[in-house]
Structures are given as C-alpha cells and as structure tokens.
C-alpha cells in the first residue's frame, strides 16, 4: 500500500541480503496496492545482518527510483516467523545503506619527544581487514578516513584507495596525539579519565567514485577511547553503522506498508556421530511392523502440519536410498484404513504430503521436459481462453476461446500421456507400490489401481505445476491475472481428464486420444523396474511390433543372417516371436539386460540399429525408422536401468571377423571401450545433508515434546489396551500400543540427549565468545 501518490505506480519488489539483491518480483503496472503473490525460497549462503525488501517505481523512461524499504534484523526474524505482517516502509537514504564489518587495532603508546619529554599517542593500525563491503554500481574502490574526535579537536587522516576489492586489507598505521608531554621521570603511564572519556575514534568507509556526484558513503564506526582500559590496547571487529543523520525520523505509515510472510529457520548441526541413534530409529521406520509404531510415522502424528514433517523426512530417506520402502509402508497402512476406494489419498495425510514432496524433488526435470515449452507458449501468446460467458470480454468470441482452450488441453494431455519413459524411476517405483496396495485392498474395483496412481500424477503433480508454474520453477514469476485464468482452466480440465483417464465416462474425444496414442501411460509409470519385485508384479505389455534382428548364431556353424520377428516387451521380459501370436523363440529376462545402446551404422551398413547387451552376447536389432528406434531404446532403458549389473562401458560397434570393429580387440569378452549413455535422466542426485535433515527432525520432536509425552501416556493407558480410547488421546493413530511405546521411549531419549548437547554447546560458546571477535 503506497501513500501520498498522485498517480499510479509501476512497482516491483526486491529481496536483499543486506544490500545484495537475491530475488526480484515482476513489475505490476498502474497500481497503488500491488499484490505480488510470489514465493521465494533460498538457502542463505553467507552471514548477513538484515533481510531487506525494497519497493521500486519504474517510470516511462524505464528508470527505477526507490519508494521505500523494509529491513528486518537477523535476530528479529524469529518474531515474524510464519505470520502475515504489515511492515511500514522506511525511506531509502544513501547514508543509511550500509553493510560489512571492519577490524581495528588501537594502542596507547609513550613517545619521547625531541625535547626529551613523554607524550601519549594513539596508534591506529587501521583495518587490518575489512569484509563484505557493498558493491556500488558494479564496483567497490574503498578507502578509509580515520578521525580522532573530541570537544575541541578533530584530526582526520586517509588511507590509500584499494581498487576493485570489497574485502580490502589496508595495513596502514596512524598516530594521534592524545595527551601533552609529561615528565620523562614519571614511570607510570597515566591519562586522565575525563580526557579519555571525551575522545572517540571515528572510521568512515568510502567508495572512491569517478562520478561528479562525489564518493559514496559505505558506513562508519565510532569507538570511545575508554574501551582501551588500563591495558591501553584494544583489538576488535565492528559492524559498519549508518550516519547519525542517516535515518531521518519518518512518521509511521507515511510512505505506505508492505505485507510479508517470512519463514526463517536456522539449524546448528553437530558432527554426524551425534545423530546416529535418532537417524537409525528413523531409517528403521520402513521395516517396522506396524509402520504406525515407527519414529517417522510418529513425527507425522505429533506435528501440527503434516508438511513440516514430510519435507525433512523425504529428504532424509531420499539421501539414504530408502524412500520407496518407507512410502510403500505408510501408503499400504493408509490404504488398509480406507473404506471407500473413491476416497484414496484425498486428504492431506502424511503419505500424500510425503509423495507430493518426493515428486516435487524427483520430478523437477520431468516437469521441465514435459510441460515447460507449452507453459512458456501460453504465457507468451496470451490467447483468449475464457469460456465463462459472464467473464467474457466484448471483443472475445466464445467459440474461438473454446477452440483455443481445447488446443492447449489437447497438446498438454498428449505430451503428458506420451511421457511415460521420462518418468523418474523413483516415482515409478512409488506408483507401482500404490497400485499393488490399492488393487489388493479393493479387489472388486478394477479401476482402483489406476485411480490411485492418477490421483497423484495428474491431480497432485501435473495439474498444480500448470496452475502455478512459478512454484515448480517452470516460470520465474507468478503469471499475470489473464494468463493465470487460462492456466486455471487448463489445469482443471487436465485434473478431470486425469481422474477419468481409465473410465468410460471420459468424453469420446479424449477416450480416443488416451486409448489410441498411449494406452499404457498409467501402466508404464506404475511398473517397477526393480528386479526383486518381479515375482509379485503382474506382467504388463509395454510395447510390441515387427523389427529385424540379426541371428545370434548360438551353434558353432549357425547362420548369422537377418530375420523379421515380432518383438514384445513387458515389465518382466523382452521376447521375440516368428509371427504375432506364436510362442516365443527367445526370452530375455529384464534383469539380464545390461545396457541398451545404438549400434554404429558401419557395423552392418544398416541404419536405425540398436543393441540389447546381455551377459553372454548382444542382440542386434534394426527398427523400421529412427523414431521407432529411439522409442525402443528409451523404453528398454527405462525398464532395465535399476538392474544391479548394468554396464558402465560398451562397444558401439559389432564383434565381426574375430574382433570388435570399434577398438580392434580380439576377445569377444573384452570390456567396452565407450562409456554408456545412461539413458534418460530418470534418477535424481540431490545435494542433501543427512545430518542437517536429522537436526531438523530433532527440532520438530523437541518443539512437540509435550505431544510425544501425551502419546506415550496414551500407549500406557488401560483405555488404549482394554476399552474405548479416552477423548484426549483419540487424535493419535496407535495400532500397536506396546511397540509404539518402545519407539517413543527411544525417540524421547535420543531427543533429550541431543537437547543436552545443544545446551552444553551454547554454554561453551557463550563462555568462550569474546566481544569484538569475528
């Protein structure tokens, strides 16, 4: 809300660490009450003093002038954590915009004068170090002005300019006379207390400018000489401060106000061995029976919001490679408690929040390659898509708008249902588990295995990304209201189509699209690539068609010619047949596929060839065209990429006439000479600090310790064992009171131990911390 404006403003807002801009919103035009509605998240990479927000006005000449700012001290951020708050805007003044710190060394020394007397001089070893000075107009050429101030004196001296350096080291020494010469015979160093109290050292930092407006003020430090004490020595770091007249008094709300919701967390992380007991408890959660008695599930029960438990749990389990068994366990437990198949994962449970978070982390690349090109086009073209007659503009035509919307939905729905081979493996494994659990729980409903998967992939993954592309890093900013309305209509339609994708009630047009163009999308993304789950997984046909293969010549004198064969791929095996419908001539179990790569044309002077590499030999196949070859390579790579013995190198050419054509090695068992391509970027590598995530979980346990104790009481209560639960305990899911009690006892013990270690660390730090230290 902006005040005292005679005309509308074109405004944008920046987020700054001190004076360093780290994020900028889009510009909202012609408004005195702009609403940005943008979220910005970052890991703060350095120390800072203020989290600052600046409001800028852009005029017709595209020049930016500052309207006001909000600066919140680091130590005050916790006051506003997680709450909407209106902050009054403060004026932006060059004299108040400071950041950085300086190091000063002061010493009072006795100096013998030419006449033989003794005077006392202040020795200022000026700024042995300066750190984090701001960069102004893309340059920082600092120098320091050092002054000794008193009631009737002011002496100033300057350092040399340090060019292009915002962490300068001046290493210059200045002398200031403090007292008049005293008797040489006086041995005791003595300065009158009153004189020292009246003196102060002032250090101003400036940025040397070539502009006619003069040098820019960077900050100042004032140090009273009484800090020298009896030792006569002072050595300390100081934060730069604004000028005394830098912050002119401004009436509250004179410039306007800014509404912010700030969430700030700060974790103090110990070495890894401190977290072993709690981390081991958490990682055992996937294998504990029942899972409701596990440490991870208990965290979800006691947290006020499931989301705050889901974020660190997902990152921890992803880091240690245990996310799939954990999510499978909690999903199976939730499905077992569900009575109606139509309500599976409809609530904001720990399971749904954890899967949402996993998809957001694991599927970021998947979203980018699938949706980003079309989202960018929608945001750029601004085609009218409004189909509500009440909201229709006079210049718009309803039929034209409806056709524009249908085209966008067609393209997005097609690209989604054609993207199965790009779906990350970890997501496929999770969807496989959901499908199997749902099908086992509701055996009379054949569609439940698909609705369990589509409720996540469409309703909680693709549709939210279309609705708010900025939250999924598909766009830099929140879309404008006009585009946002188009994205809302597309998202709602995709939600509807996704929820009905395997249902007869979907419209004839989209039923044909789904059935003809990609009949296996939900099957493909919910097929597990893990070899050890084959025994419990129903075979699903993923792809089939005629191709030409080279005979493998298993017999010594067998012919190695080329024959046309019918190929079939399921999630269990890759087979080929003489004709469609006949028995398999050869079957390759998926776990025996070591790599799938293209074959160089020179091998057989044939195009569109690829090789399926097995332990004993490679199967050479020619597809009908380049698109089909790419499709087969993608899907074969997809289903085999979790195999334990996958190769890291391969031979890009064939083994012919007693040697490999590529590397000329004569042994047919020689290791590959070229790195495998690795297929699609289906797996994720997250930069996760497991200790930090465990510390975050410890903080949550500590925050909700009262609930942990209450849950422990519920387990020990006779009402939980023998009769109906007491009302005060009814909020907790407790399937096995005894097992849950054991876990709670271990969790509380581990949390209390960490709490004591934190307190001891704080006491030690407080005792050792010296004022003025870095």
């Amino acid at each position: 809300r902006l005040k005292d404006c005679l005309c509308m403003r074109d405004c944008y807002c920046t987020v700054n660490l001190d004076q360093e801009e780290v994020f900028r919103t889009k510009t909202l035009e012609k408004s005195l009450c702009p609403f940005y509605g943008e979220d910005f998240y970052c890991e703060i990479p350095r120390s800072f003093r203020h989290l600052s927000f600046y409001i800028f006005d852009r005029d017709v000449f595209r020049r930016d002038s500052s309207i006001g700012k909000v600066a919140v001290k680091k130590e005050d951020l916790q006051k506003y954590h997680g709450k909407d708050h209106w902050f009054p805007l403060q004026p932006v003044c060059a004299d108040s915009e400071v950041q950085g710190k300086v190091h000063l060394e002061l010493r009072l020394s006795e100096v013998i004068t030419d006449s033989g007397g003794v005077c006392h001089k202040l020795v200022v070893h000026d700024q042995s170090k300066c750190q984090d000075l701001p960069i102004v107009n893309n340059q920082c050429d600092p120098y320091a002005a050092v002054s000794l101030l008193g009631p009737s004196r002011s002496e100033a001296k300057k350092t040399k300019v340090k060019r292009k350096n915002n962490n300068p080291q001046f290493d210059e020494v200045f002398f200031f006379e403090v007292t008049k010469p005293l008797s040489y015979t006086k041995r005791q160093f003595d300065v009158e207390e009153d004189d020292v109290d009246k003196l102060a050292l002032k250090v101003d930092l400036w940025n040397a400018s070539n502009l006619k407006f003069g040098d820019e003020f960077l900050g100042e430090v004032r140090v009273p000489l009484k800090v020298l004490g009896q030792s006569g020595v002072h050595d300390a770091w100081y934060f730069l401060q604004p000028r005394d007249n830098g912050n002119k008094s401004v009436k509250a709300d004179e410039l306007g106000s800014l509404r912010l919701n700030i969430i700030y967390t700060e974790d103090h992380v110990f070495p890894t061995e401190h977290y072993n007991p709690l981390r081991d408890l958490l990682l055992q959660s996937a294998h504990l029976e029942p899972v409701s008695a596990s440490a991870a599930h208990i965290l979800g029960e006691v947290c006020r919001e499931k989301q705050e438990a889901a974020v660190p749990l997902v990152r921890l389990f992803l880091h240690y490679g245990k996310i799939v068994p954990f999510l499978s366990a909690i999903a199976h437990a939730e499905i077992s408690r569900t009575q109606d198949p139509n309500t599976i994962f409809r609530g904001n449970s720990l399971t749904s929040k954890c899967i949402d978070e996993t998809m957001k982390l694991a599927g970021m690349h998947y979203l980018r390659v699938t949706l980003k090109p079309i989202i960018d086009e929608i945001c750029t073209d601004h085609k009218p898509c409004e189909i509500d007659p009440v909201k229709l503009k006079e210049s718009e035509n309803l039929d034209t708008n409806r056709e524009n919307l249908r085209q966008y939905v067609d393209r997005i729905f097609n690209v989604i249902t054609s993207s199965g081979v790009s779906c990350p493996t970890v997501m496929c494994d999770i969807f496989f588990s959901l499908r199997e659990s749902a099908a086992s729980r509701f055996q009379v409903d054949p569609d439940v295995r698909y609705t369990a998967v589509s409720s996540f992939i469409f309703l909680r993954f693709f549709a939210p990304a279309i609705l708010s592309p900025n939250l999924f890093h598909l766009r830099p900013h929140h879309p404008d209201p006009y585009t946002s309305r188009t994205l809302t209509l597309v998202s709602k339609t995709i939600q509807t189509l996704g929820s009905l994708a395997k249902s007869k009630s979907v419209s004839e047009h989209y039923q044909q699209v789904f059935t003809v163009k990609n009949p296996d999308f939900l099957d493909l993304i919910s097929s597990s690539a893990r070899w050890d789950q084959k025994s419990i997984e129903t075979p699903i046909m993923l792809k089939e068609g005629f191709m030409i293969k080279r005979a493998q010549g298993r017999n010594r004198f067998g012919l190695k010619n080329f024959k046309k064969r019918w190929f079939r791929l399921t999630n269990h095996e890759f087979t080929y047949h003489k004709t469609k419908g006949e028995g398999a001539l050869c079957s390759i179990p998926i776990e025996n596929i070591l790599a799938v790569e293209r074959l160089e044309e020179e091998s057989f002077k044939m195009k569109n060839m690829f090789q399926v590499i097995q332990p004993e030999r490679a199967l050479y196949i020619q597809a009908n065209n380049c698109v089909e070859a790419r499709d087969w390579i993608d899907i074969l790579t997809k289903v085999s990429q979790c195999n334990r013995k996958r190769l890291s190198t391969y031979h890009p050419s064939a083994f012919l006439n007693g040697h490999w054509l590529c590397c000329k090695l004569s042994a047919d068992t020689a290791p590959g000479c070229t790195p495998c391509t690795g297929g699609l970027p289906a797996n994720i590598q997250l930069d996760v600090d497991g200790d930090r995530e465990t510390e975050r979980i410890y903080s949550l346990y500590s925050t909700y310790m009262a609930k942990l104790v209450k849950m422990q009481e519920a387990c020990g209560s006779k009402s939980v064992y023998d009769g109906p639960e007491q009302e005060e305990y009814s909020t907790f899911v407790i399937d096995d009171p005894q097992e849950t009690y054991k876990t709670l006892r271990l969790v509380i013990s581990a949390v209390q131990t960490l709490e004591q270690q934190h307190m001891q660390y704080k006491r030690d730090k407080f005792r050792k911390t010296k004022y003025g230290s870095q």
Side-chain angles (χ1 to χ4, degrees), residues 106-110 120 187-193 196-197 224-235:
L106 312 179
R107 187 173 72 255
L108 274 173
S109 300
E110 292 183 352
H120 301 126
R187 305 170 93 187
Q188 190 80 20
F189 180 77
D190 186 23
V191 180
E192 290 183 22
E193 193 71 28
V196 174
D197 283 346
L225 290 198
K226 62 183 179 181
V227 300
L228 293 165
Q230 292 187 350
S231 67
V233 177
H234 183 65
D235 178 350

Side-chain angles (χ1 to χ4, degrees), residues 1 144 550 697 736:
R1 297 184 298 209
R550 180 176 184 260
I697 292 169
D736 187 331

Side-chain angles (χ1 to χ4, degrees), residues 432-675:
F432 162 75
S433 178
L434 298 180
R435 192 191 72 187
E436 293 297 300
S437 292
S440 175
R441 174 74 174 88
F442 301 103
Q443 297 180 13
V444 295
D445 187 345
D447 288 336
V448 72
R449 63 174 58 204
Y450 298 113
T451 55
V453 175
S454 66
S455 65
F456 279 104
I457 194 68
F458 283 105
L459 276 63
R460 305 180 79 108
F461 184 62
F462 283 118
I466 296 167
L467 184 65
S468 303
N470 56 307
L471 297 183
F472 290 80
H473 307 294
L474 299 178
R475 296 286 297 176
H477 299 298
H478 189 74
D480 61 78
Y482 191 81
T483 306
S484 185
R485 173 63 180 166
T486 299
L487 293 174
T488 300
L489 293 170
V490 173
S491 177
K492 285 183 176 179
T493 311
I494 292 297
Q495 276 190 11
T496 305
L497 294 174
S499 62
L500 301 174
K502 282 287 180 176
S503 167
K504 293 179 181 178
S505 57
V506 70
S507 69
E508 183 180 346
H509 170 75
Y510 288 106
Q511 184 68 52
Q512 185 177 6
V513 168
F514 196 87
T515 304
V516 174
K517 294 204 173 183
N518 204 317
D520 304 310
F521 174 64
L522 294 178
D523 281 332
L524 181 56
I525 66 170
S526 59
S527 294
S528 175
R530 295 176 179 271
W531 67 273
D532 54 351
Q533 290 178 329
K534 174 185 169 185
S535 58
I536 60 171
E537 189 178 0
T538 307
I540 297 170
M541 211 285 295
L542 300 175
K543 190 172 178 63
E544 59 183 345
F546 278 111
M547 292 189 291
I548 297 171
K549 79 162 193 76
R550 180 176 184 260
Q552 300 188 71
R554 288 185 173 80
N555 299 326
R556 186 175 179 183
F557 302 104
L559 294 175
K560 296 185 179 179
N561 54 356
F562 289 86
K563 294 182 179 179
K564 191 174 184 179
R565 293 287 182 258
W566 179 260
F567 286 84
R568 295 183 78 250
L569 173 66
T570 72
N571 51 335
H572 286 187
E573 58 186 0
F574 182 47
T575 60
Y576 60 81
H577 314 248
K578 195 167 186 179
T579 59
K580 184 178 180 180
E582 286 194 7
L585 296 175
C586 179
S587 172
I588 304 173
I590 294 299
E591 60 265 28
N592 283 358
I593 298 178
L594 306 184
V596 183
E597 299 286 350
R598 290 190 179 276
L599 189 69
E600 288 183 353
E601 217 173 284
E602 289 74 16
S603 296
F604 300 105
K605 308 299 181 185
M606 297 167 65
K607 291 186 175 183
N608 307 319
M609 290 202 71
F610 63 94
Q611 52 184 319
V612 180
I613 304 171
Q614 308 164 69
E616 295 180 359
R617 64 183 66 82
L619 175 63
Y620 300 132
I621 303 171
Q622 184 188 35
N624 297 319
N625 54 61
C626 61
V627 174
E628 190 176 278
R630 178 74 265 172
D631 288 346
W632 275 104
I633 292 171
D634 282 350
I635 199 165
L636 281 164
T637 300
K638 176 71 182 171
V639 298
S640 64
Q641 63 189 351
C642 285
N643 291 347
R644 289 183 170 184
K645 297 181 180 179
R646 273 189 67 85
L647 297 177
S648 57
T649 58
Y650 78 107
H651 293 283
S653 293
F655 184 81
L656 291 175
N657 303 322
H659 67 275
W660 292 100
L661 297 181
C662 44
C663 57
K664 309 305 180 186
L665 292 175
S666 58
D668 60 354
T669 57
C673 57
T674 303

